[in-house]
Amino acid sequence: MGLDEQIEQVQAGNLDAFAEIVRLYERPIRAWLVSRCPPGGDADEVAQKTFVQAFKRIDDFAIGTDFRAWLFTIARYQLMAECTRLQRMADYHSRYAPHALNQELERRAAGDSDAQNPLLGHLRSCLEEMGEKPRQILNWRYGEEKPLAEIAELTNRSVGAIKKHLFQLRKALYECIQRKQATEAGQ
Amino acid sequence: MNRRFEQLWTGYLEGDLDSSGLTELQEMLAADPELLRLATDLYEQHRLLGLELQPFDSGAFVQDTIRKIENDRSEFLSSVTEELRKAAHSAPDIAVTDRRPLPHVGWFGYVAIAVFTLLITLGGQHWFWRPVATDVADGVSTHAARVRDIATLIFEDGCEWSSTPALQEGQRLPPGMLALAAGTAVIRFDGGAELVMTGPTSLVLHSTGSAELKRGDVVVRAEDGAEGFELATPLSPLIDLGTEFAVRVGSSGDTEVHVLDGQVEYRNGDSPDVLTAGHAVRLSKRGEPVEELQLDSPRFDEVIRRANPRPEPERMLAYEGFHYEPGILPLAETTKGIGWAGPWRLRTREERRLPDTENSPEFFEIVHGQMNVTWPVPGGRLGMLRLPAGNSFYVRPLARPIDLGRDGVTFFSLMVRETQRRLAPGRPREHLRLTFRSSEDYFSDAISFGHGPGYRPRVQAGRGNQFNSPLVLPPEQTTLWIGKIISREQGEDEIYFRVYGEQDVLGYAEPSTWHVVTRGVDIAARLDRVLLSSTGRTARIVDELRIGPTWRSVAPMQDETE
């Protein structure tokens, strides 16, 4: 079944058809929101609100037009609402985020014309190119969310050394992504 | 990447950067656009690493989302059923009661049933979507969201608006033109900048950080975090570099800029230039300064002082000051105050759920002089209500309901004294709440302000929507609770809650930040009951409950005396 047919079914009230759409777009929507969501915001919650709103507004969608762009527009509005909510919370900037960083994230979110996120693909490929040990450290830190003290114990190093190592790994990944982006731009 | 950035950034990502480190990082990023770009790239990468490496149950996400939609739908259908049931019961010539084995249903009842059947047949969900404004983004026509509000009208004095229907203090503002014929108004942009305009002035709101002055006088103040605010004028865009400045645009477009503090960037011919504090200039048509002027614009605070923000007690919808003699007062005698449809009472059996038995005292204990009032507000000195340890649930009907189905703004304030902070192991069940409920649907459509066992400010709205502040209330203090409800006929309602401690300063207008801010709340009920509830093992004292349409009607300052 094509996407337009699926959407027609959703417009007729078929929730199972909408579940398929959520399944299809969950990853790209979350990937975009995760990278643009300001510190303290819950990107997955914003993603869920995006889909709930999309279902509520599905009658407004014109079959044959770009559903992905329509969905990402909803995501952008939901993200802006989340940013506004966070900004209006007392002590937000002193607890969570440098103001300049938030402004830059908002600027990028507003300027994303197609909400594609090529960064994720490059990141995945750079991770694959990494050695097993550094990847293990990143996996402990991000995948299993182990405290730094535990990672330090597992590796027989100090917490300070682990922090430094993490910074170097992030930097190496950043440089790898930059190289891939430059190669892509040159092609 | 310099070494200090490396240290700060790692500390930031690992969550162990203290407030001075955060400030240093902020300053570093604000001063270096290249470093800011790098930090933002690294932040994105950091978040994407979590996305890529953390296990995620996609199936559960889909199921949760679908369950949320189903819940919304079933809530809608049950509310329609309930409305129709009520309509059938209240319609003349209809008697649908449990006592009649063969109820006779009149014409209205048949219509109601037919409409209900039609709703069910159509699947229901098409009926509870709200119409929304149209947006065009990226060339895609979409009805994805209502126009986003970008600012708040936080103060108005004698305003006559020629561009729009009269604006209400506290109202949120979307992008668009504001034409002020007379009076003084203060706009706070969501980006943090504040602008005071004096009529006649025409201003176009563009975004959370920009506006355009077509004509008239404004003073802009953009303090920490709000710098970068851009005010377009007919002759030059003016960018606030963390400062305060005044702008005057005449009817022919002639523009004066007075820099009261800090710096302002403007266009000098084709290139940007900076005006510093203490300078005032008139700009040419190319945006160049052609004439140095005397700096004669009043400062932001001076404009506010001249407008003289007065308390507005006359605008209160309801007031309870517990102005009784100390001692025991039967509930039937709690008739004082304004804006009430009856005295305080215990919950009826239909209003009881948790706990479903009633053991609240059938009287009020009135005490005097037990608050420590540090704000220049009236009240909190004579009569006040002591809620004893144990359960206390008291209800009072409002004469004028808060109608959440209409566009409007409602504030409330309540003075609270916590007599003892229980820090027992576990989570002691200490609650204090002020809840607005509907007599038509007592349990569903309610908005509740208060704190739970963790002593954190909390708002509960509708069914299951709970919003908690991460901040803990100051212990064993007198606090002033202030809440704000923005109701909308179409679109989400917004609810705000802030608790002022004894050291906090109360402003002339609502605060720029709140302890709790809600999202995704949409209630259309008429709230006509106030429920005061206190549970736990400690006594509490409450006083000065005010409900009104403006900040100044519930947070009265200075010249009122009890």
Side-chain angles (χ1 to χ4, degrees):
Chain A
M1 193 192 309
L3 181 62
D4 283 350
E5 282 172 277
Q6 251 175 327
I7 294 168
E8 274 171 350
Q9 291 210 4
V10 178
Q11 288 177 336
N14 184 341
L15 209 47
D16 290 338
F18 190 69
E20 281 307 309
I21 288 176
V22 178
R23 210 161 280 129
L24 195 62
Y25 287 101
E26 162 263 311
R27 181 79 175 171
I29 286 281
R30 286 181 57 241
W32 184 75
L33 286 170
V34 154
S35 62
R36 293 286 180 257
C37 196
D42 185 338
D44 286 346
E45 194 189 319
V46 180
Q48 193 179 59
K49 284 181 191 292
T50 298
F51 285 112
V52 172
Q53 282 300 314
F55 184 78
K56 286 183 175 181
R57 311 284 182 219
I58 198 73
D59 282 349
D60 298 332
F61 176 73
I63 300 284
T65 59
D66 188 342
F67 181 75
R68 184 189 167 94
W70 183 79
L71 190 61
F72 271 92
T73 303
I74 295 177
R76 190 176 294 124
Y77 276 105
Q78 289 296 317
L79 182 63
M80 286 194 294
E82 177 68 1
C83 290
T84 303
R85 187 183 76 84
L86 290 170
Q87 279 167 6
R88 306 197 85 199
M89 288 187 55
D91 305 332
Y92 170 69
H93 289 299
S94 60
R95 283 186 295 118
Y96 285 117
H99 187 70
L101 177 66
N102 270 24
Q103 281 184 323
E104 178 64 11
L105 283 168
E106 269 201 68
R107 195 189 62 74
R108 289 186 186 190
D112 282 344
S113 56
D114 58 2
Q116 297 280 3
N117 198 337
L119 196 62
L120 188 61
H122 293 322
L123 176 71
R124 194 173 297 148
S125 134
C126 288
L127 279 170
E128 281 165 9
E129 290 168 18
M130 265 188 163
E132 196 179 323
K133 279 187 182 168
R135 211 186 130 89
Q136 175 70 75
I137 300 275
L138 288 173
N139 207 38
W140 279 333
R141 166 65 182 83
Y142 288 97
E144 299 176 30
E145 295 186 284
K146 285 188 192 298
L148 294 188
E150 191 178 335
I151 299 176
E153 205 176 304
L154 284 166
T155 52
N156 257 340
R157 301 167 78 181
S158 68
V159 171
I162 291 299
K163 277 188 187 174
K164 190 162 179 60
H165 190 43
L166 276 171
F167 183 85
Q168 284 164 345
L169 291 179
R170 291 181 187 124
K171 190 177 162 198
L173 274 176
Y174 174 74
E175 285 165 358
C176 171
I177 290 167
Q178 292 287 303
R179 279 197 303 276
K180 287 189 186 297
Q181 283 178 332
T183 310
E184 196 175 63
Q187 281 171 352
Chain B
M1 288 186 215
N2 69 54
R3 175 109 181 98
R4 185 62 186 149
F5 171 74
E6 178 183 327
Q7 287 169 341
L8 291 171
W9 186 251
T10 305
Y12 177 63
L13 291 189
E14 300 309 333
D16 53 11
L17 197 61
D18 61 16
S19 60
S20 65
L22 203 56
T23 305
E24 189 183 345
L25 180 61
Q26 158 64 21
E27 284 167 1
M28 206 178 253
L29 296 179
D32 186 344
E34 195 56 29
L35 193 63
L36 176 62
R37 192 184 61 76
L38 171 68
T40 313
D41 286 349
L42 288 172
Y43 173 79
E44 283 180 31
Q45 178 188 296
H46 168 73
R47 298 291 300 250
L48 287 170
L49 274 166
L51 180 88
E52 183 63 20
L53 297 176
Q54 267 169 28
F56 182 78
D57 190 340
S58 176
F61 178 87
V62 176
Q63 275 180 8
D64 282 352
T65 306
I66 298 302
R67 198 173 300 128
K68 176 91 177 67
I69 292 168
E70 281 174 333
N71 284 346
D72 281 1
R73 185 153 59 174
S74 74
E75 267 187 35
F76 168 74
L77 290 177
S78 66
S79 71
V80 169
T81 312
E82 181 65 13
E83 285 301 310
L84 291 172
R85 190 188 62 75
K86 282 179 195 159
H89 273 286
S90 61
D93 193 30
I94 300 172
V96 186
T97 71
D98 294 338
R99 283 169 290 187
R100 291 194 179 194
L102 290 171
H104 164 68
V105 181
W107 64 272
F108 191 90
Y110 286 119
V111 171
I113 290 165
V115 170
F116 176 66
T117 309
L118 180 64
L119 283 170
I120 298 297
T121 309
L122 290 173
Q125 83 272 19
H126 297 289
W127 291 76
F128 67 104
W129 313 147
R130 304 177 301 250
V132 290
T134 302
D135 267 293
V136 177
D138 308 332
V140 182
S141 175
T142 168
H143 296 254
R146 64 186 295 280
V147 174
R148 182 195 181 202
D149 292 323
I150 54 171
T152 307
L153 175 67
I154 61 167
F155 173 77
E156 65 99 14
D157 178 63
C159 288
E160 290 172 27
W161 301 95
S162 49
S163 58
T164 54
L167 297 176
Q168 183 183 345
E169 203 172 282
Q171 184 177 331
R172 300 277 288 142
L173 302 170
M177 168 72 92
L178 293 179
L180 180 65
T184 302
V186 181
I187 313 291
R188 181 183 288 137
F189 290 82
D190 285 357
E194 292 180 343
L195 179 151
V196 56
M197 57 198 289
T198 310
T201 289
S202 298
L203 181 79
V204 183
L205 309 186
H206 283 315
S207 72
T208 59
S210 64
E212 183 180 357
L213 180 62
K214 297 281 193 188
R215 185 172 79 105
D217 291 277
V218 302
V219 183
V220 176
R221 181 165 68 183
E223 292 177 332
D224 289 350
E227 55 277 319
F229 179 81
E230 183 171 339
L231 183 70
T233 69
L235 300 182
S236 170
L238 303 168
I239 299 172
D240 195 315
L241 302 177
T243 185
E244 186 174 321
F245 67 97
V247 186
R248 188 173 297 150
V249 173
S251 52
S252 59
D254 51 310
T255 301
E256 285 180 19
V257 187
H258 297 238
V259 183
L260 303 162
D261 201 4
Q263 297 180 323
V264 173
E265 184 181 307
Y266 71 106
R267 191 187 63 213
N268 187 353
D270 293 327
S271 57
D273 208 339
V274 169
L275 270 176
T276 54
H279 289 89
V281 295
R282 178 173 289 119
L283 299 177
S284 74
K285 285 187 179 167
R286 281 174 47 80
E288 295 158 341
V290 287
E291 184 185 352
E292 184 88 16
L293 302 169
Q294 185 177 355
L295 187 80
D296 60 0
S297 170
R299 295 187 71 106
F300 192 96
D301 286 339
E302 175 61 17
V303 180
I304 301 297
R305 198 187 61 75
R306 287 181 193 174
N308 186 21
R310 291 172 302 277
E312 297 179 323
E314 70 284 357
R315 298 189 68 182
M316 275 191 291
L317 304 174
Y319 171 68
E320 171 60 277
F322 302 102
H323 290 170
Y324 300 98
E325 291 300 314
I328 299 302
L329 182 73
L331 291 180
E333 295 176 23
T334 58
T335 54
K336 288 189 181 175
I338 57 168
W340 305 101
W344 291 92
R345 59 170 174 77
L346 299 182
R347 295 173 301 166
T348 62
R349 191 156 54 168
E350 291 72 32
E351 291 168 346
R352 294 201 293 264
R353 183 174 285 177
L354 283 173
D356 60 1
T357 54
E358 184 59 88
N359 54 6
S360 309
E362 294 182 16
F363 53 83
F364 274 179
E365 182 186 349
I366 302 295
V367 296
H368 280 199
Q370 296 198 12
M371 294 272 185
N372 179 27
V373 184
T374 56
W375 317 278
V377 298
R381 288 151 183 106
L382 295 177
M384 54 198 71
L385 172 63
R386 183 176 185 276
L387 298 163
N391 292 343
S392 300
F393 295 91
Y394 297 113
V395 177
R396 195 166 190 190
L398 284 165
R400 285 173 60 193
I402 300 167
D403 190 348
L404 300 181
R406 293 185 176 188
D407 293 335
V409 181
T410 306
F411 287 86
F412 88 87
S413 67
L414 178 70
M415 218 176 270
V416 173
R417 167 87 197 281
E418 180 187 300
T419 58
Q420 185 194 346
R421 173 68 55 97
R422 285 188 68 213
L423 294 170
R427 293 172 70 80
R429 299 191 61 77
E430 301 291 330
H431 290 89
L432 179 63
R433 280 192 294 265
L434 180 76
T435 307
F436 297 93
R437 291 192 177 278
S438 165
S439 57
E440 292 171 9
D441 190 355
Y442 191 79
F443 290 105
S444 298
D445 297 325
I447 299 177
S448 177
F449 299 84
H451 72 75
Y455 294 98
R456 298 172 198 278
R458 171 190 286 176
V459 170
Q460 287 173 279
R463 281 187 181 143
N465 281 319
Q466 184 169 296
F467 305 86
N468 290 298
S469 167
L471 302 179
V472 177
L473 293 172
E476 298 175 6
Q477 282 196 12
T478 298
T479 53
L480 184 66
W481 296 9
I482 301 193
K484 177 182 180 184
I485 302 168
I486 299 178
S487 53
R488 291 196 173 90
E489 187 178 346
Q490 296 179 348
E492 277 187 17
D493 305 316
E494 294 176 35
I495 305 167
Y496 302 87
F497 185 31
R498 174 145 185 162
V499 179
Y500 287 82
E502 290 174 4
Q503 311 303 322
D504 293 329
V505 177
L506 206 58
Y508 73 95
E510 64 175 84
S512 56
T513 56
W514 299 77
H515 290 144
V516 184
V517 182
T518 65
R519 271 197 70 200
V521 173
D522 189 4
I523 306 176
R526 286 161 56 85
L527 305 177
D528 57 358
R529 296 281 184 274
V530 171
L531 169 68
L532 192 55
S533 47
S534 171
T535 62
R537 294 187 192 167
T538 60
R540 299 178 178 87
I541 297 162
V542 297
D543 195 8
E544 294 297 311
L545 171 59
R546 294 163 189 263
I547 303 167
T550 62
W551 171 264
R552 287 180 287 152
S553 65
V554 305
M557 306 287 284
Q558 294 156 357
D559 66 357
E560 239 195 342
T561 51
E562 191 171 79

